[in-house]
Amino acid sequence: MTLRDTLSLSFRTVRSNKLRTGITVAIIALGITALIGINTAIAAIRQKFLESFSTMGATGFTLRYQEPRRHFNNEEVKKEKKGARKEKKSNMGKPITKTQAEAFKSTYHFPALVSTSLMGARDAIVSYENKKTNPNVYVIGGDENYTSLNGFSVLYGRDLNTLDIQTSRNVCLIGKDVATRFFGESFERPLDKVIRINNIPFRIIGTLKPKGSTFGRSLDNIIITSYSNVRRFLNSNPNASFNIQVKVPDIKLIDGAIGEATGTFRTIRKLTVTETDNFMVDKSDSFAEMLIRNLSFITVAALLIGVITLVGAAIGLMNIMLVAVTERTKEIGLVKAIGGKRKNVRYQFLYESIIISLLGAGIGIVLGIILGNVVGILLSTSFVVPWDWVFTGVLICSLVGLLAGLYPAIKAARLNPIEALRYE
């Protein structure tokens, strides 16, 4: 018997036992669906993280307010290393003020782009003539560099400029959702119109290019004005802290930029040499990297679920192949009687086992990619195919088929043809 004959016979045998094959394929497909589906979803989430939290790329960082650390007992204080900088309680828990943020921007001379911002209302009501929005519009206070450092771009009109910030003019940029709500699909119509944000008039100077949504929140349901206006009108917390964003032109400069920024801001915050920093320095992609690292636990869980399911499927497949050997004893004897060799019989049963496993792998991979990309659709990401896990799934299923069919194939090959022909 040639290889082609053996494969053809294996395919015919698999097709002739539809119910048995279908059940085994379904079990294998379930394990691969879990493995591929979860990892496809993780790939979509990872892609969204990188898009959402790394708008400045690897060349940016943020100076922000640091919450005061709380010691629950004296042991934690005693554990601090000797010679380390001390925490001065009077310096901890202090928000970054407007004066400090502006002082940093004027005294930081490193070749970098600097932006100062302040979070405004998260539930602002915007109105125009007789229309108004739901109380879910985000209002952010920035400066002339805010849009560039946060992935926004002006589609029509102009960006905020230095004069807008210095004079606190009531001007703003609006996102696509706000523009569509009041002015339809035209992005040019809103220019120079006056809207009211929480009943305070603002003139529209530009419309922002659409950005889509992230984690259920629209990035287009947004208004950007100067941080001075947010501080005056749209932030109810008098102790709200400013954020300072810095972006350098080359990733090679990032460590030097962070070092100089830390030194400059320590001077502005009036910290002595022996005192610890009372502010945080976050690289723009650090939060995304932290979340992506946490996703590795889900990947391990998916692998465990897939392996456990496939071990069960392998046991079931081996049992089915052993039953097939018993049922087809006379057929095996006939093959040997007409000149079939042991290896032909062995290969036939191995091929059957591998064919069933690969059918399960194919169905599981397709279902897993579809289910995983449902998450991608909800997060508005592009279509994701985790090719590394696809090849891993095929390899695992091939091994499952080989191992599950090995013992039944050897058992079938060792049958005595005379005794096999007499088997009833």
Side-chain angles (χ1 to χ4, degrees):
M1 293 176 69
T2 64
L3 177 62
R4 183 177 179 181
D5 294 331
T6 307
L7 278 172
S8 177
L9 186 58
S10 299
F11 272 110
R12 284 202 301 272
T13 306
V14 169
R15 282 201 305 268
S16 64
N17 295 287
K18 292 184 176 63
L19 181 60
R20 186 183 297 168
T21 301
I23 292 171
T24 312
V25 166
I27 296 171
I28 295 170
L30 183 63
I32 293 297
T33 299
L35 183 66
I36 301 297
I38 293 174
N39 282 288
T40 304
I42 288 172
I45 294 169
R46 182 184 288 112
Q47 181 179 321
K48 197 62 182 180
F49 280 162
L50 293 174
E51 290 175 0
S52 302
F53 298 110
S54 300
T55 51
M56 285 194 290
T59 59
F61 61 92
T62 303
L63 302 176
R64 63 175 179 84
Y65 165 68
Q66 180 182 21
E67 294 282 349
R69 287 189 290 178
R70 305 183 189 281
H71 298 295
F72 294 97
N73 53 54
N74 291 329
E75 292 299 319
E76 293 183 18
V77 179
K78 292 176 183 178
K79 287 180 183 178
E80 290 183 358
K81 294 180 181 179
K82 291 182 179 180
R85 287 173 173 171
K86 297 178 181 179
E87 284 186 3
K88 188 176 180 180
K89 291 185 178 179
S90 60
N91 279 335
M92 301 309 293
K94 287 185 175 181
I96 298 173
T97 64
K98 177 185 174 185
T99 304
Q100 290 172 348
E102 290 176 342
F104 177 87
K105 190 173 180 180
S106 62
T107 57
Y108 184 65
H109 300 303
F110 200 87
L113 202 60
V114 181
S115 172
T116 301
S117 62
L118 179 66
M119 188 64 203
R122 297 172 182 266
D123 54 357
I125 299 175
V126 183
S127 58
Y128 175 72
E129 295 180 347
N130 60 344
K131 296 179 182 179
K132 68 177 182 178
T133 65
N134 293 323
N136 61 355
V137 179
Y138 276 64
V139 182
I140 296 175
D143 59 10
E144 69 279 7
N145 295 327
Y146 181 83
T147 54
S148 300
L149 269 67
N150 287 274
F152 292 98
S153 56
V154 178
L155 191 61
Y156 289 102
R158 66 171 179 85
D159 204 342
L160 295 172
N161 58 34
T162 307
L163 193 60
D164 295 327
I165 309 304
Q166 291 174 346
T167 60
S168 300
R169 290 192 291 208
N170 285 22
V171 293
C172 67
L173 305 166
I174 63 173
K176 173 182 173 291
D177 291 354
V178 179
T180 304
R181 170 70 176 164
F182 297 129
F183 308 102
E185 296 298 325
S186 173
F187 284 87
E188 295 180 79
R189 281 186 58 198
L191 298 182
D192 288 326
K193 300 292 193 299
V194 176
I195 58 174
R196 303 184 79 84
I197 306 173
N198 287 355
N199 214 30
I200 299 165
F202 283 83
R203 183 169 62 86
I204 299 170
I205 59 171
T207 54
L208 298 170
K209 188 177 179 180
K211 285 193 69 175
S213 61
T214 178
F215 304 112
R217 180 175 77 86
S218 173
L219 297 175
D220 297 319
N221 195 33
I222 189 173
I223 292 177
I224 300 173
T225 184
S226 69
Y227 57 78
S228 302
N229 287 332
V230 165
R231 188 165 175 260
R232 281 194 304 162
F233 303 125
L234 301 165
N235 194 308
S236 57
N237 182 7
N239 296 317
S241 181
F242 282 73
N243 287 331
I244 303 168
Q245 293 174 289
V246 181
K247 184 176 182 180
V248 294
D250 191 333
I251 192 171
K252 296 176 183 177
L253 302 173
I254 190 72
D255 292 332
I258 291 174
E260 184 164 330
T262 303
T264 302
F265 205 50
R266 281 180 61 83
T267 302
I268 293 170
R269 298 277 275 183
K270 298 179 180 178
L271 298 174
T272 64
V273 177
T274 59
E275 292 172 349
T276 59
D277 298 340
N278 58 1
F279 56 91
M280 294 289 292
V281 180
D282 290 335
K283 291 180 71 173
S284 60
D285 57 353
S286 60
F287 185 54
E289 288 175 357
M290 179 191 70
L291 293 175
I292 288 169
R293 282 196 300 271
N294 291 336
L295 289 176
S296 62
F297 295 108
I298 304 175
T299 303
V300 172
L303 186 59
L304 287 174
I305 292 169
V307 168
I308 291 169
T309 308
L310 290 173
V311 167
I315 294 170
L317 179 58
M318 181 182 289
N319 184 51
I320 287 171
M321 296 306 295
L322 286 170
V323 172
V325 171
T326 304
E327 289 180 347
R328 291 157 56 191
T329 300
K330 188 170 272 191
E331 177 191 324
I332 294 166
L334 183 61
V335 170
K336 285 192 169 187
I338 62 174
K341 297 179 181 179
R342 278 190 174 189
K343 68 176 183 179
N344 298 126
V345 177
R346 186 166 59 246
Y347 288 162
Q348 181 186 343
F349 279 87
L350 277 175
Y351 291 155
E352 286 178 26
S353 180
I354 293 172
I355 287 167
I356 290 171
S357 294
L358 291 179
L359 281 173
I363 295 170
I365 287 168
V366 171
L367 289 176
I369 290 173
I370 291 171
L371 291 175
N373 277 285
V374 169
V375 177
I377 291 170
L378 294 175
L379 296 177
S380 301
T381 61
S382 58
F383 191 80
V384 177
V385 179
W387 290 109
D388 51 346
W389 285 103
V390 169
F391 292 127
T392 301
V394 172
L395 180 61
I396 290 173
C397 284
S398 298
L399 289 173
V400 166
L402 182 63
L403 295 174
L406 190 59
Y407 174 67
I410 293 171
K411 183 181 178 182
R414 287 177 177 174
L415 287 175
N416 187 301
I418 297 173
E419 292 179 2
L421 284 169
R422 287 192 305 205
Y423 181 81
E424 294 294 338

